[in-house]
Amino acid sequence: MSVTRRHLLAAGAGAAVAAGVQQGASAADLPTIGTYDVVVIGSGAAGMTAALAAAKQGLSTVVLEKAPTFGGSAARSGAGIWIPNNPVILAAGVPDTPAKAAAYLAAVVGPDVPLSRQRAFLAHGPAMLSFVMANSPLRFRWMEGYSDYYPELPGGLPGGRSIEPDQLDGKLLGAELARLNPPYLEVPAGLVVFSADYKWLALSAVSVKGAAVAAECLARGTKAALLGQTPLTMGQSLAAGLRKGLQDAGVAVRLNTPLTELYVDKGAVAGAVTPAGLYRARRGVIVGSGGFEHNAAMRAQYQRRPIGTEWTVGAKENTGDGIRAGQRLGADVALMDDAWWGPAIPLPGDPYFCLAERTLPGGLIVNAAGRRFVNEAAPYSDVVHTMYDRNPTDPDIPSWLIVDQNYRNRYLFKDIAPTFVLPDDWYGSGAAHKAWTVDALAASIGVPAAALRATVDRFNSLALKGDDPDFGRGDSAYDHYYTDPSVLPNSCLAPLWLPPYYAFRLVPGDLGTKGGLVTDARARVLRPDGSVVPGLYAAGNASAAVMGHSYAGAGSTIGPAMTFGYIAARDLAGVLQGPLS
């Protein structure tokens, strides 16, 4: 027997009256696929961490995954993880303290997120990481020098708090490795590359250290090949390591199993309805199903224009299923207007999330008027917030990254080596333009030639002095992470002087949306009046981010996602302790 729309509507009608919810599945004739203590929705970093924590507390657990692969957006990512005072950075000598972390997070987040949630994240994050290392093959590395995004704020660390997964042999997963969601960007064949390597790989043609890092990446790849390994790093390592932990704990991950409705029994969420039937949950359901970045209707409803689904690099299955299911039970939502933004180049096929390219010296960003409007090296979410804030009165969407041939001769651009020609389809799609004069480039991209010429002249004069009083590029330690240390006096700034000149179209890209179900310090989902939706928890991008409208450092998505997944599981197990109010 299959679950029909009639069953779901009948289920919701019966439960809504008794439980005070708006809609939910609660019909006795739904076919039961299985009964567990905990049902987890989604196999990303939040979901798999939650499932592992639940299983290790002796709770029978199943993970339901909509996609034919596991790992979600986490598997596609660079897998930076921002967790203050974690054992990896403390062992590396990072001078972090709980007081510094609390001051910094409060300064970054402001009043958007209750202090209780901030305290819960800071208190349980280090324990979560220790738990993951004890119950999976995952190990982690400090991303040395990757500054907090606002290191000048109280408690900020210029050396950074971010970590990333260490190298993992994918063969540990056996046949399950074939079901790992592929990365957003493939690592070149024969290399083993960490996220922290990319800043140096971009400089490999002009930096001794860059060349050394490239050689080290090749040496790692060669060693792995000789050992017969399938080396994984970044998001591939994180997702594979968590999946291996679940394998060892006996937790099944049911692929191709989307959530269609939450099941309500006696006023509490008690399972998940899928197209095949019902997965009952004795204790509760943890929603870790990601954001709504690929749901055009939700983006149009909640977010500023222009917006769409073609500029995100989030997993394509992220259409807000868990968020909408929670809303149908009367759950509150917050931060729905926001995302983990970053300027993206809309290349044919997939957008390219632009990090080092907009920060390296010898480039600037202009708007439709041909003028600079932002510190190009600022945290990527801030750049897009500025684009949206200014766009109604001074159009900044799209914007244009302008560089010259000297820049192209020196630096890697995406995966295009220095001096190599850009693909024809970049030009054909309008994502890239090339011209032998600044005026001709202005004509190609449709901005006023005189304004662009004046902007480049002004920028060049500032670059030669090494100071940017207009937008403060280079004032923050963060600005210097993706730059060229050989450029003096300011590694962020160099003039544009060698034709031809290039322009790259920039739009508001994202790593995923950051608005979702409102939760408390225990990761319990709340209604607008602050009451708890019994039996329902959320973590990751299905929940409203603990970072509010800001972004503390690299890994501010995954670090809290894993932490609140861990918190949810321990609360369901009745063993959660520590700051929760």
Side-chain angles (χ1 to χ4, degrees):
M1 175 182 176
S2 62
V3 179
T4 66
R5 178 176 174 80
R6 176 178 60 81
H7 290 132
L8 296 181
L9 292 176
V17 174
V21 299
Q22 295 174 357
Q23 182 181 342
S26 179
D29 61 348
L30 289 176
T32 298
I33 305 300
T35 300
Y36 302 85
D37 292 321
V38 179
V39 174
V40 176
I41 311 299
S43 67
M48 287 199 285
T49 304
L52 185 61
K56 288 299 179 177
Q57 287 299 321
L59 303 182
S60 60
T61 306
V62 67
V63 178
L64 308 183
E65 171 55 56
K66 177 181 182 180
T69 56
F70 70 88
S73 293
R76 292 171 54 77
S77 74
I81 298 172
W82 194 85
I83 297 176
N85 292 293
N86 74 70
V88 176
I89 63 172
L90 295 181
V94 175
D96 203 3
T97 67
K100 286 181 182 177
Y104 178 67
L105 187 60
V108 168
V109 173
D112 292 330
V113 177
L115 277 173
S116 59
R117 290 194 68 218
Q118 296 179 44
R119 292 190 189 109
F121 165 59
L122 295 175
H124 295 280
M128 177 280 295
L129 198 72
S130 295
F131 165 82
V132 165
M133 289 191 287
N135 292 281
S136 80
L138 281 166
R139 299 295 179 267
F140 298 90
R141 304 157 54 101
W142 177 37
M143 300 174 73
E144 183 175 1
Y146 202 153
S147 170
D148 285 342
Y149 286 178
Y150 307 98
E152 296 78 22
L153 290 179
L157 296 184
R161 294 173 161 102
S162 302
I163 61 173
E164 64 173 309
D166 210 338
Q167 181 178 334
L168 185 74
D169 183 7
K171 289 188 175 177
L172 291 172
L173 277 180
E176 189 68 7
L177 179 62
R179 289 178 276 278
L180 173 61
N181 199 23
Y184 153 58
L185 289 177
E186 293 284 352
V187 173
L191 302 183
V192 173
V193 181
F194 295 107
S195 281
D197 294 332
Y198 274 107
K199 66 167 287 185
W200 294 109
L201 293 178
L203 306 174
S204 57
V206 295
S207 162
V208 172
K209 183 168 182 178
V213 168
E216 186 178 355
C217 293
L218 178 59
R220 291 190 207 115
T222 302
K223 180 179 179 180
L226 292 173
L227 294 173
Q229 297 177 344
T230 301
L232 304 176
T233 57
M234 297 182 282
Q236 296 287 281
S237 175
L238 178 63
L242 289 171
R243 183 68 185 91
K244 175 59 175 171
L246 293 182
Q247 277 186 335
D248 293 345
V251 176
V253 177
R254 306 294 187 199
L255 303 178
N256 298 298
T257 307
L259 171 72
T260 59
E261 200 65 78
L262 291 165
Y263 173 80
V264 177
D265 184 36
K266 298 177 182 177
V269 175
V273 179
T274 73
L278 171 64
Y279 288 81
R280 292 180 180 269
R282 299 183 190 94
R283 300 207 181 190
V285 174
I286 302 173
V287 177
S289 53
F292 58 93
E293 56 266 26
H294 283 282
N295 186 318
M298 290 182 74
R299 299 207 82 152
Q301 176 182 358
Y302 291 109
Q303 299 188 324
R304 289 186 278 185
R305 310 291 180 92
I307 195 64
T309 61
E310 68 275 14
W311 297 338
T312 181
V313 300
K316 64 181 182 296
E317 291 82 10
N318 290 350
T319 54
D321 301 354
I323 298 171
R324 287 181 291 141
Q327 287 179 293
R328 288 191 289 271
L329 301 187
D332 196 12
V333 294
L335 303 176
M336 299 292 280
D337 60 322
D338 216 339
W340 303 99
W341 301 115
I345 302 173
L347 298 176
D350 290 300
Y352 176 63
F353 196 88
C354 201
L355 287 174
E357 292 81 3
R358 64 183 170 82
T359 299
L360 287 163
L364 67 152
I365 295 176
V366 300
N367 59 14
R371 297 189 294 263
R372 288 180 75 207
F373 62 93
V374 71
N375 169 12
E376 295 87 351
Y380 33 91
S381 58
D382 287 357
V383 175
V384 173
H385 281 142
T386 300
M387 291 169 73
Y388 273 122
D389 290 345
R390 293 172 46 93
N391 193 58
T393 56
D394 193 15
D396 297 323
I397 303 173
S399 300
W400 299 95
L401 171 61
I402 311 295
V403 305
D404 70 346
Q405 189 61 45
N406 179 56
Y407 173 107
R408 283 294 301 121
N409 288 345
R410 294 175 63 85
Y411 308 125
L412 184 75
F413 197 101
K414 187 178 179 282
D415 54 357
I416 310 298
T419 75
F420 279 49
V421 298
L422 302 175
D424 289 341
D425 61 358
W426 288 23
Y427 296 111
S429 69
H433 295 253
K434 176 181 176 183
W436 285 92
T437 67
V438 170
D439 284 11
L441 188 69
S444 182
I445 63 176
V447 307
L452 182 60
R453 193 182 331 115
T455 296
V456 171
D457 288 346
R458 167 71 175 169
F459 181 83
N460 286 350
S461 68
L462 300 179
L464 290 171
K465 297 175 184 176
D467 183 41
D468 178 22
D470 295 347
F471 296 98
R473 182 167 168 180
D475 290 353
S476 171
Y478 171 77
D479 294 359
H480 293 271
Y481 183 70
Y482 286 112
T483 55
D484 184 349
S486 69
V487 173
L488 299 173
N490 185 334
S491 68
C492 294
L493 297 171
L496 287 69
W497 58 272
L498 182 64
Y501 299 93
Y502 300 82
F504 299 93
R505 189 169 184 256
L506 293 178
V507 296
D510 65 71
L511 303 170
T513 51
K514 71 186 317 186
L517 302 171
V518 173
T519 57
D520 65 8
R522 297 177 181 270
R524 300 177 299 183
V525 173
L526 304 178
R527 300 186 181 98
D529 64 2
S531 63
V532 171
V533 178
L536 186 60
Y537 294 73
N541 287 352
S543 63
V546 73
M547 293 295 158
H549 287 289
S550 197
Y551 212 134
S556 291
T557 307
I558 294 178
M562 297 174 70
T563 300
F564 281 104
Y566 172 81
I567 287 171
R570 291 182 65 81
D571 194 58
L572 278 169
V575 296
L576 186 61
Q577 298 177 344
L580 293 168
S581 62

